[in-house]
Amino acid sequence: TGSEMSPMAVTEAPTTPVKLPEPLRRTKLLVKDVSRWDNRDKLFAEPVDAAAFPGYADAVRRPMDLGTITKKLDRGEYERPGEVHADVCLMFDNGMRFSPDAADPVHNYAADLKARWTARFEALLAALQPVARKPKPKPKAKAKAAKAKGKAKGKGKAKGKGKSDVY
């Protein structure tokens, strides 16, 4: 009957998103922000229909869109935030490549979104970096520093004494 599926038909089974490590989880949240920024006809939400845009397949060798990026995040296909960044930049670069005239609204829109993404991504990376903390000095180092400070002020060790009694 017409309602039966062909055994050759392939359907995507719904999958539960993988649990992402914190850096990728926060990067995914940023990708969701980009989805909200993309309010002009949702140009970057889904793959471009190359049939509807003649020349797209020739101009863009590696298509990318927010839907694909989100699916790749959900499936755990990215190992580092930088890989997500590369795909988001590729997506905007594709828009500018297909609409190369700087006066074209699509080109400008893609350039603006890319600049906004890059600034936010760099801020995210900075927030993810461990804070460089000055290591606590070892007790010996403190004693040596105190001894050197005393000598600098003219308070060297008294004559007749051996090693410093700080050790």
Side-chain angles (χ1 to χ4, degrees):
T1 63
S3 63
E4 293 178 21
M5 284 184 57
S6 161
M8 299 303 287
V10 177
T11 58
E12 253 188 64
T15 58
T16 304
V18 298
K19 183 168 173 52
L20 296 170
E22 185 63 14
L24 283 171
R25 187 190 69 76
R26 291 182 58 190
T27 305
K28 183 178 178 181
L29 292 174
L30 185 54
V31 169
K32 284 184 179 184
D33 283 348
V34 174
S35 295
R36 286 190 289 275
W37 302 340
D38 181 22
N39 56 13
R40 178 184 283 169
D41 302 323
K42 299 292 183 191
L43 291 178
F44 299 102
E46 297 296 326
V48 171
D49 178 3
F53 296 95
Y56 185 82
D58 294 327
V60 175
R61 299 281 181 223
R62 234 183 105 217
M64 189 54 61
D65 61 275
L66 291 169
T68 300
I69 293 167
T70 300
K71 286 176 188 170
K72 288 175 74 172
L73 278 161
D74 288 345
R75 291 188 299 243
E77 293 182 28
Y78 294 111
E79 292 182 20
R80 298 180 320 276
E83 295 169 335
V84 180
H85 176 67
D87 274 354
V88 172
C89 289
L90 172 66
M91 174 185 69
F92 293 132
D93 290 343
N94 287 346
M96 291 183 284
R97 186 174 297 114
F98 183 65
S99 303
D101 183 356
D104 186 304
V106 171
H107 182 98
N108 289 325
Y109 185 59
D112 289 345
L113 289 177
K114 182 180 179 182
R116 194 171 174 186
W117 159 265
T118 300
R120 292 281 306 275
F121 182 75
E122 288 173 356
L124 173 64
L125 283 184
L128 291 172
Q129 295 301 316
V131 178
R133 294 196 175 119
K134 196 174 185 181
K136 290 184 178 180
K138 294 179 183 174
K140 265 187 169 180
K142 281 184 181 179
K144 283 183 181 179
K147 184 177 175 183
K149 188 176 181 181
K151 281 185 178 182
K153 291 183 178 180
K155 297 181 183 177
K157 47 183 178 173
K159 287 187 177 182
K161 286 194 175 182
K163 289 190 171 186
S164 169
D165 56 359
V166 177
Y167 293 107

